[in-house]
Amino acid sequence: MWTLAACTAGPSPRVDVRPPEPATSRSAGEAGTPASSPRIAMQVQRVTPLPAARALLAQSDAALARGETARAWRLAQRAQRISPQASEVYVQMAQIRLHEGKVAQARQLLTKARALAGQDASLLQRIRDLAARTG
Amino acid sequence: MAVAAVVITVWVVWLDVTVRSHFEGRRWQVPARIFASAPLLYEGAPASVQGLVRHLKELGYRAGDLSRPGSFLQTGNQLKIHLRPFQFEDGAVPARHVSIEVANGAISHLESRGPVVRLEPLEVGRFYPGSKEDRILISRKELPDVMVKALILTEDRDFYSHHGISLKGIARAAWQNLKAGRVVQGGSTLTQQLVKNFYLSAERSLWRKANEAVMAILLDAHYDKDAILEAYANEVYLGQSGQVAIHGFARASLFWFGRPLRQLSAAEQALLVGMIRGPAYYHPLRHPDRARKRRNHILALLEEAGVLRPDQADWARRQPLGVTDTPRLSANRYPHYVEWVRRQLLEFYPEDVLRSEGLRIFTALQPELQERVQRALDQFARTRPGLQGAFVLTERETGAVAALAGQAGTGIAGFNRALDARRPIGSLIKPFILATALQHPERYTLATVVRDDPFELRFENGDTWSPENFDRESKGPMLLEDALVQSRNQAMVRVGLDVGVDQVLNTLKAAGHDADIPPWPAVLLGAVPMAPVQVARVYTALAAGGVAPRLNSIRAVTDAKGHPLKAFDYAPEQVLPSQVAYLVQTAMLDVMQRGTGRSVYQSFPRDYFVAGKTGTTNDGRDSWFAGYNGRYLGVVWLGHDDNQPTGLTGASGALKVWRQVYRQLPAESVVMAQPEGVEWAWVDNRTGLRLEEGCENARALPFLEGTAPEEVGPCKRGRSLIGGWIRRWFGGGEP
């Protein structure tokens, strides 16, 4: 029943690749319960920028308002090094790219921002507003 | 007569052209300078006072007095720094004062003009982007004063007054040799020695001597003394490592002492100067007594000339030779990382740019992490003869490569396994099978029951193939999540065959793998050869939540005037739906919490969330681990170059090396912000049927919106008071 018609390349090399070590001797079901729970706490979390990153983002925004996009971008990148999991960083980067007319890049950055925004309604709204401008 | 005059003129003109073209060619090449990542100082940044002080000392900052730029003052956990001006990739930053306090492994207080301070980065190498040659050049300014004086006293006292050759020097040497009854001194000037090294073969003949003398005179006529001295300092032969000759003081300093020239003491400088006479004869490891005698002779000359005070000379004479036991061949401290920088430069920058001079290359290298990574590899391999390895450490969101080690063990930097060892990835393929399956939510969710049972594939030519599990057992029906968590071959291969090997390869390709691989079923067991850096790339796709950057070693490049060339801008691309990446990451967290990677929690606290996947190939020929915390993704490979079995699994080998590095990193958990379009539900551990919260047999899993199971299963209750309490505690009533 497992005959593979599509596999016209002939016999596969017999590479017997194994998982690293015998899995837990307990069955999957018994092993699972307690470990799942802390994850649920994680789902509501999201990372917010550290104060230093926030300050850099504010500086970046100010630079953008002056039309200094290169400087704005560098400051946002520096903020990203500090708080790489913070959605705000990517929102700012998207804003800069939008300002430069690089719509495709802005769209990707907003996807990133959205993936990190968690359930933060106002942030999500801001991302939606910006996304609307990418057409 | 006239013919002879013409011949001589032609000869001299020819020598002149040779001298000038060669000298100019060498001299005016300004190497590209490679800088590590500039550390960022801000409140909350992980840091230690010792680490910062080490960094400052490496930069050549002095302790104690803050009056001049390039100094620092440490009192307890407080550090005041008077930073030097520095030309960063985006412009010059002037000298300035900074004050830092460190508490609990992080900067607790920062006083400066702005909220974030960029520290001067370490220079980690120099090279000529256009050539393969691995040299470190220094300018005349960078030559230590004592060293220059020692050089002139020892080799050519009349250097600043002669015209390329020195009759006085020849006479003095002849007299000394006559006195001693053997050759104790050569009469060659520094200029002649340079000419000899530069242009001429080692043959000893009168003809060569004549050429040498004329060329020395010509060189002296064309260039000033400092330029000649600089060329000499970069050309002088100071040792041998196998096939490779060690030329130049800067490189010799790294080779023999493991430190840059400017960090050498007077005694160490004297040793290098002394060795010019015969690097093999005065080999400081093979003939330490000779070397010491020679060094002390040079120190005596320095004392005699008043360069060193008697007490300084005495002290210097009492010092050990100070050479390292394991001379390092490479001119670059991190040769494998720098090699990748060079490759990326060639890939992303036009050749004429690379040929321009005085480039400054700002990389993402973090020397402290690089050294930890190397140490962890070395330590693990030390007791296992022949075991090799590689480690690639990246910032998982930015794609910046913080460290890259391509071999285990010290010694000559050879084969860069991180870049070039393509080995089957084994079970590291499984998250990509999962990611492929989860893109068909009508068929697969994490709660889909799959079968871990034996089966046989029959090919058209009659051959058969039946994959086995590592433990040679089959566990029967299980949730898809558990098939990954426990790395079940039969279950995952079934899923892979069902969705299509070509589809799995497409997922891998989308994630950044560029090789063309035929869609054999064995692909599903990881018969896909990949180099560690390629694994890092495809795992970045998962670790960065499906919207991933490309890996990069270079942050920026500036030209000689400090103008930025094309920058390596962060430009992520969606390679996997964020929701699918979220589901796969959840399963990879569970690999660590309770699956094949669980041994990390012998040393990590339970609430420190890391995600990853182990991989082992047949007979433990390859031991892999790819895993990440909140900030860094690390890929480790261990194996033998000749593909012999190692006896290691991913967990007993690569994972241990990974853990050794990660236990020294700040414990930054993976935080997975749940993207829109994902919902959580409680399901039965075995059947995947919907349950309500609080059932003993329930597990919470994420689903793409609208795909959580609807059919409700039986809830086991009782004995679960504590479990339920824990769930409520963590879950806050949320499914």
Side-chain angles (χ1 to χ4, degrees):
Chain A
M1 66 185 273
W2 281 96
T3 297
L4 273 194
C7 199
T8 50
S12 68
R14 210 186 129 68
V15 179
D16 188 2
V17 190
R18 293 158 193 161
E21 58 179 32
T24 161
S25 56
R26 292 179 297 172
S27 80
E30 288 159 355
T33 323
S36 308
S37 304
R39 288 206 315 258
I40 300 180
M42 296 173 61
Q43 69 172 299
V44 287
Q45 287 179 23
R46 71 174 194 90
V47 174
T48 51
L50 285 176
R54 237 179 241 293
L56 287 173
L57 289 174
Q59 289 178 8
S60 168
D61 218 26
L64 185 63
R66 291 191 301 270
E68 301 170 24
T69 49
R71 181 175 155 73
W73 180 261
R74 280 196 301 271
L75 289 163
Q77 274 201 311
R78 215 165 295 158
Q80 187 195 22
R81 282 182 62 193
I82 295 171
S83 292
Q85 295 191 83
S87 174
E88 285 88 339
V89 168
Y90 303 93
V91 172
Q92 176 63 16
M93 286 178 156
Q95 279 196 129
I96 299 167
R97 289 305 185 223
L98 264 179
H99 189 93
E100 293 172 320
K102 297 175 180 165
V103 177
Q105 277 193 42
R107 208 176 289 133
Q108 297 282 5
L109 288 159
L110 288 171
T111 310
K112 179 96 228 169
R114 194 179 298 117
L116 294 170
Q119 316 288 312
D120 187 321
S122 70
L123 191 58
L124 284 167
Q125 187 54 49
R126 200 169 148 215
I127 293 168
R128 270 192 291 273
D129 292 346
L130 283 169
R133 287 170 51 193
T134 67
Chain B
M1 192 65 188
V3 174
V6 169
V7 168
I8 288 174
T9 308
V10 169
W11 174 57
V12 171
V13 168
W14 178 74
L15 287 181
D16 191 52
V17 170
T18 311
V19 162
R20 292 172 67 167
S21 67
H22 203 121
F23 193 79
E24 298 284 335
R26 294 269 180 152
R27 189 181 157 212
W28 302 118
Q29 261 193 332
V30 181
R33 300 171 69 185
I34 305 168
F35 294 96
S37 185
L40 296 185
L41 307 180
Y42 53 88
E43 286 179 5
S48 71
V49 172
Q50 302 94 297
L52 289 168
V53 166
R54 198 166 46 239
H55 182 89
L56 293 170
K57 282 187 173 164
E58 288 248 6
L59 288 169
Y61 277 52
R62 278 168 225 279
D65 172 19
L66 288 172
S67 60
R68 281 189 312 173
S71 54
F72 67 93
L73 184 66
Q74 185 207 338
T75 18
N77 61 351
Q78 197 186 44
L79 191 60
K80 292 185 169 166
I81 314 171
H82 191 173
L83 289 165
R84 294 189 293 222
F86 187 77
Q87 181 78 32
F88 283 96
E89 66 269 30
D90 56 344
V93 175
R96 62 223 186 278
H97 287 273
V98 174
S99 172
I100 303 160
E101 265 174 57
V102 177
N104 304 320
I107 293 175
S108 55
H109 185 69
L110 172 76
E111 262 175 60
S112 67
R113 253 177 258 165
V116 179
V117 174
R118 271 186 294 177
L119 216 51
E120 207 178 308
L122 292 177
E123 185 178 327
V124 293
R126 292 181 180 194
F127 67 83
Y128 297 100
S131 94
K132 286 214 169 84
E133 212 176 342
D134 209 15
R135 282 185 184 235
I136 331 174
L137 288 207
I138 44 166
S139 66
R140 170 66 185 87
K141 281 203 312 262
E142 295 170 284
L143 282 172
D145 218 30
V146 171
M147 186 162 212
V148 171
K149 287 189 171 129
L151 181 65
I152 286 169
L153 285 169
T154 320
E155 296 293 327
D156 186 1
R157 284 179 184 247
D158 308 316
F159 176 71
Y160 280 104
S161 55
H162 63 59
H163 295 285
I165 57 172
S166 166
L167 295 176
K168 229 161 96 187
I170 293 168
R172 188 166 44 229
W175 173 240
Q176 293 290 339
N177 295 346
L178 200 67
K179 257 196 344 191
R182 62 193 167 93
V183 178
V184 292
Q185 215 177 77
S188 290
T189 62
L190 289 180
T191 322
Q192 280 171 290
Q193 293 181 33
L194 174 62
V195 163
K196 192 168 76 186
N197 280 342
F198 244 19
Y199 313 103
L200 303 167
S201 65
E203 80 175 296
R204 283 169 177 260
S205 69
L206 221 55
W207 173 242
R208 205 211 66 180
K209 259 309 195 207
N211 273 336
E212 183 185 298
V214 175
M215 287 167 100
I217 294 168
L218 291 167
L219 200 61
D220 193 82
H222 286 305
Y223 304 103
D224 68 37
K225 294 287 183 185
D226 278 343
I228 293 169
L229 194 65
E230 179 180 293
Y232 181 91
N234 285 312
E235 202 57 46
V236 61
Y237 171 69
L238 283 163
Q240 191 75 26
S241 175
Q243 300 284 307
V244 182
I246 308 301
H247 283 284
F249 285 127
R251 185 163 187 200
S253 171
L254 273 186
F255 180 76
W256 290 111
F257 301 102
R259 279 175 290 137
L261 195 56
R262 63 181 142 74
Q263 288 182 17
L264 297 193
S265 67
E268 289 160 342
Q269 293 172 30
L271 176 60
L272 282 185
V273 169
M275 285 168 62
I276 295 171
R277 176 75 48 89
Y281 187 80
Y282 298 112
H283 196 290
L285 293 173
R286 283 189 211 130
H287 309 293
D289 289 338
R290 272 184 211 162
R292 184 172 296 109
K293 225 169 126 188
R294 177 74 183 153
R295 178 198 70 182
N296 291 352
H297 171 66
I298 313 290
L299 288 169
L301 291 178
L302 287 168
E303 185 184 351
E304 215 177 278
V307 179
L308 294 181
R309 290 192 314 267
D311 59 310
Q312 289 173 320
D314 261 354
W315 188 83
R317 272 190 287 268
R318 284 199 305 275
Q319 297 312 301
L321 289 174
V323 289
T324 124
D325 298 339
T326 48
R328 188 168 45 205
L329 180 65
S330 173
N332 293 307
R333 288 172 72 176
Y334 310 111
H336 281 163
Y337 192 97
V338 169
E339 191 182 336
W340 201 43
V341 170
R342 201 185 295 212
R343 284 195 208 177
Q344 287 212 311
L345 278 172
L346 290 171
E347 192 179 343
F348 298 111
Y349 288 83
E351 220 176 311
D352 58 319
V353 168
L354 296 183
R355 289 196 186 286
S356 63
E357 295 177 342
L359 294 181
R360 290 158 73 86
I361 299 160
F362 296 88
T363 72
L365 171 70
Q366 297 190 36
E368 215 178 321
L369 298 184
Q370 175 71 33
E371 280 175 18
R372 276 186 206 161
V373 155
Q374 189 65 61
R375 242 190 335 266
L377 265 183
D378 293 351
Q379 271 171 14
F380 192 84
R382 196 168 294 149
T383 53
R384 297 168 174 83
L387 187 70
Q388 265 306 337
F391 201 134
V392 180
L393 189 72
T394 71
E395 291 179 7
R396 73 179 176 111
E397 287 293 2
T398 68
V401 179
L404 182 144
Q407 86 177 15
T410 50
I412 295 171
F415 185 39
N416 194 339
R417 294 163 192 83
L419 304 181
D420 297 325
R422 290 173 187 241
R423 305 287 291 243
I425 62 171
S427 299
L428 294 192
I429 191 81
K430 287 185 177 135
F432 295 92
I433 302 178
L434 181 66
T436 311
L438 292 172
Q439 289 181 70
H440 300 279
E442 70 292 350
R443 279 146 78 195
Y444 289 103
T445 69
L446 287 177
T448 300
V449 176
V450 295
R451 286 163 53 204
D452 189 49
D453 289 332
F455 63 90
E456 193 173 85
L457 275 190
R458 211 173 283 282
F459 297 95
E460 282 172 347
N461 65 0
D463 286 359
T464 60
W465 182 65
S466 38
E468 282 189 66
N469 280 311
F470 184 76
D471 55 8
R472 313 252 169 216
E473 287 173 22
S474 300
K475 297 214 177 269
M478 56 169 40
L479 299 194
L480 178 56
E481 199 216 8
D482 290 323
L484 181 89
V485 167
Q486 299 176 24
S487 206
R488 304 308 295 174
N489 286 349
Q490 289 169 342
M492 290 306 291
V493 170
R494 278 172 185 272
V495 173
L497 290 171
D498 184 41
V499 295
V501 181
D502 55 336
Q503 293 301 306
V504 174
L505 284 172
N506 281 346
T507 305
L508 205 58
K509 217 171 248 181
H513 189 50
D514 48 11
D516 264 330
I517 301 152
W520 289 329
V523 160
L524 301 172
L525 290 178
V528 182
M530 286 172 80
V533 74
Q534 294 173 312
V535 172
R537 173 145 193 214
V538 296
Y539 265 74
T540 296
L542 302 173
V547 191
R550 64 158 58 244
L551 297 188
N552 66 78
S553 60
I554 302 166
R555 288 196 206 280
V557 179
T558 61
D559 65 15
K561 293 190 182 116
H563 298 142
L565 305 173
K566 185 186 86 176
F568 260 76
D569 277 336
Y570 170 76
E573 275 183 46
Q574 177 134 39
V575 294
L576 202 63
S578 308
Q579 294 79 4
V580 170
Y582 181 82
L583 268 49
V584 175
Q585 291 196 75
T586 306
M588 285 168 63
L589 284 166
D590 270 350
V591 168
M592 305 308 283
Q593 288 281 337
R594 60 191 172 81
T596 52
R598 66 187 181 280
S599 61
V600 286
Y601 286 103
Q602 289 163 9
S603 33
F604 290 177
R606 273 279 156 189
D607 59 354
Y608 175 24
F609 291 102
V610 293
K613 185 72 195 80
T614 52
T616 314
T617 60
N618 206 6
D619 299 329
R621 289 173 206 278
D622 303 278
S623 162
W624 285 100
F625 183 73
Y628 53 95
N629 71 2
R631 189 167 292 256
Y632 295 107
L633 165 70
V635 173
V636 186
W637 169 82
L638 298 175
H640 288 293
D641 285 341
D642 60 6
N643 210 21
Q644 289 302 303
T646 63
L648 296 169
T649 62
S652 70
L655 176 57
K656 283 191 174 160
V657 177
W658 185 91
R659 185 176 68 176
Q660 177 61 21
V661 169
Y662 275 69
R663 69 201 294 179
Q664 302 169 65
L665 297 177
E668 208 173 317
S669 271
V670 175
V671 177
M672 298 210 307
Q674 178 185 334
E676 288 177 296
V678 168
E679 59 184 0
W680 284 72
W682 292 93
V683 298
D684 188 293
N685 273 325
R686 291 164 184 275
T687 63
L689 295 178
R690 189 71 172 253
L691 291 178
E692 54 191 85
E693 189 201 344
C695 302
E696 195 191 329
N697 51 335
R699 160 189 321 183
L701 284 177
F703 295 87
L704 302 188
E705 212 162 63
T707 66
E710 284 169 7
E711 192 185 334
V712 177
C715 176
K716 286 189 200 160
R717 292 204 186 264
R719 286 197 301 115
S720 68
L721 268 173
I722 290 176
W725 177 78
I726 287 175
R727 277 192 292 276
R728 270 191 296 282
W729 176 269
F730 282 110
E734 295 266 337

